[in-house]
Structure formats: structure tokens, C-alpha cells
Amino acid sequence: MSTAFSLAPLFRSSVGFDRFNDLFETALRNEPGSTYPPYNVEKHGDDQYRIVVAAAGFQEEDLDLQVEKGVLTVSGGKRDTSEGVTFLHQGIAQRAFKLSFRLADHIEIKAADLRNGLLSIDLLRVVPEEAKAKRIPINGAQKPALQH
């Protein structure tokens, strides 16, 4: 018995949703995502979002944010401990990490802030005028057909 799941019926009446289809297929692969460090994805209004990453023990110079091809990548480098320090117990994980977030169209990063061990990344959906809904007039006059 196959466990494959086809999204073809969903996309029969859709045009241009290839990226959306890829997002579903990635989610359905059951690939375990990274759980370190813990993070929240918050919605603060219709077009405002925030990603909050628990980056305890990391400083600004240890963290890197990059956006490429609609994917936000947050990574943190492992910090060197001081010479001569012997840990009797090391419960604060300061290992390197990499988190990736796929961004929807028209999402822009507005700010990033590291405060009290929390990295906050503010995002805003900015839809350009040409992408907003517009009314198309229907003319009753006969017009020539489109040439292919």
C-alpha cells in the first residue's frame, strides 16, 4: 500500500501555484525539522509577523540572518569557551544551529533585534500596487480575439 499523497486534484483549477505545491510536498515528506533552538512564529495583525528564536548565550556577532530565494535562514556559530574553564555541568547548549523559514511572496524583513537572549525578527507583508486586486471592466463591444 502506497503512502503517497497526490495534490493534483487541488491544483487542477489553479494557475501559478508551483511554489505552494512544493511547500505542501516538503511538509508531507515527514522530514524532522530542527528543534534547536526553540522558536515562535507570531502574527501581529493582518500583515505583520515576528519570528522569535531563543538564542541564549549567543551574541550579535555569533548570529547570521540571510534571505535567498524566499527562504530566511537564521544561523548561529558555536562560541569558544574561555581557556582554563572546566564545566562541572554544562546545561546551556551553545552548539551551532541553522533554522530555515520559507517566506510567502511580498514578505519583507523589517528589523532584527537581540535582547535578553531572544532574537526577534520582524516581518511585514508589503503588496505592491500592481499585485493588488483591481476591477476589470467588461465591454459589450466586439473586440478582436487575441493572437497566439
Side-chain angles (χ1 to χ4, degrees):
M1 180 174 178
S2 174
T3 59
F5 182 73
S6 174
L7 295 174
L10 179 64
F11 293 103
R12 280 187 193 140
S13 60
S14 302
V15 177
F17 285 92
D18 303 335
R19 197 167 146 201
F20 191 64
N21 187 24
D22 293 343
L23 180 64
F24 269 116
E25 287 178 1
T26 301
L28 290 173
R29 278 191 217 128
N30 292 330
E31 294 175 359
S34 175
T35 59
Y36 175 79
Y39 62 89
N40 293 338
V41 179
E42 305 168 353
K43 186 171 182 177
H44 292 264
D46 290 341
D47 295 325
Q48 297 176 358
Y49 303 88
R50 178 176 289 149
I51 298 172
V52 181
V53 179
F58 289 93
Q59 296 174 357
E60 287 180 29
E61 57 269 11
D62 302 326
L63 300 169
D64 185 47
L65 300 171
Q66 291 187 3
V67 176
E68 184 178 353
K69 296 181 182 175
V71 176
L72 167 63
T73 303
V74 181
S75 56
K78 191 163 93 172
R79 296 185 52 208
D80 294 329
T81 57
S82 303
E83 296 266 338
V85 174
T86 303
F87 289 97
L88 300 177
H89 172 75
Q90 187 173 7
I92 300 173
Q94 291 181 335
R95 64 183 187 256
F97 70 88
K98 185 174 183 179
L99 297 171
S100 294
F101 302 91
R102 185 177 298 266
L103 302 177
D105 291 336
H106 312 299
I107 296 287
E108 297 179 5
I109 285 116
K110 286 301 177 189
D113 182 47
L114 180 64
R115 191 175 300 164
N116 297 326
L118 296 175
L119 174 64
S120 297
I121 306 162
D122 292 326
L123 305 121
L124 182 65
R125 181 188 324 268
V126 180
V127 181
E129 280 301 315
E130 61 270 6
K132 291 182 180 177
K134 53 189 150 216
R135 183 168 294 279
I136 309 297
I138 300 173
N139 295 327
Q142 199 68 306
K143 292 200 173 200
L146 292 176
Q147 300 296 320
H148 294 295

